[in-house]
């Protein structure tokens, strides 16, 4: 199989595998280490390679970018709505908010690890519910 011109530090078995791994790694870095900064790098990669990436890389780049946006919406907006609905001084508001945040955040991390594993093995994969359809 032809190899891509970009070298992202991964020995590619399929064209675009290195870019796919980088996209999913940035998704996890955005959740765990550098929120916002890693997303900016991921979005820049998507804008740069969205028309030229091989199919595997395109799918993982698109998915990582889209799910990062969905994840941000789920975490920030809905957490804010929980706070608005319950008020800052109510104990149950904080119990519900912490449970909600923990469940959503850890689910995104779990699926991000699965996506990274699939990218490393050169396979396509879709996040359940919020991932884009596979073509």
């Amino acid at each position: 199989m032809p190899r891509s011109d970009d070298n992202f530090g991964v020995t590619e078995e399929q064209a675009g595998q290195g870019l796919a791994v980088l996209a999913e790694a940035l998704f996890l870095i955005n959740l765990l280490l550098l929120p916002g900064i890693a997303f900016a790098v991921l979005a820049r990669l998507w804008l740069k390679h969205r028309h030229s990436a091989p199919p595997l890389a395109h799918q993982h780049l698109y998915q990582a970018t889209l799910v990062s946006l969905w994840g941000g919406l789920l975490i920030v907006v809905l957490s804010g709505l929980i706070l608005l609905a319950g008020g800052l001084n109510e104990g149950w508001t904080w119990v519900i908010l912490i449970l909600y945040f923990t469940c959503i955040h850890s689910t995104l991390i779990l699926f991000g690890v699965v996506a990274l594993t699939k990218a490393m093995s050169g396979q396509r994969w879709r996040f359940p519910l919020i991932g884009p359809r596979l073509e």
Side-chain angles (χ1 to χ4, degrees), residues 38-115:
F39 177 73
V41 174
L42 179 62
R44 181 174 162 92
L45 272 177
W46 167 246
L47 291 174
K48 181 180 177 186
H49 295 284
R50 68 178 176 224
H51 298 298
S52 62
L56 177 70
H58 183 271
Q59 190 267 328
H60 281 280
L61 260 175
Y62 180 54
Q63 172 172 262
T65 306
L66 185 67
V67 172
S68 289
L69 292 170
W70 272 109
L73 183 76
L74 287 170
I75 290 172
V76 174
V77 173
L78 291 179
S79 294
L81 290 174
I82 290 170
L83 279 174
L84 283 174
L88 293 173
N89 297 325
E90 294 295 323
W92 283 108
T93 300
W94 291 102
V95 170
I96 292 168
L97 178 64
I98 291 169
L99 283 172
Y100 171 76
F101 180 86
T102 304
C103 289
I104 294 298
H105 193 258
S106 48
T107 300
L108 288 171
I109 292 169
L110 177 68
F111 286 141
V113 169
V114 172

Side-chain angles (χ1 to χ4, degrees), residues 8 10 17-34 38-39 41-42 45 60-61 64 68 111-117 119-120 127:
F8 294 103
V10 176
Q17 189 173 356
L19 188 55
V21 169
L22 181 62
E24 298 298 353
L26 284 169
F27 174 79
L28 286 171
I29 291 169
N30 184 43
L31 284 171
L32 297 169
L33 297 173
L34 300 169
F39 177 73
V41 174
L42 179 62
L45 272 177
H60 281 280
L61 260 175
S68 289
F111 286 141
V113 169
V114 172
L116 178 61
T117 304
M120 291 172 75
F127 272 75

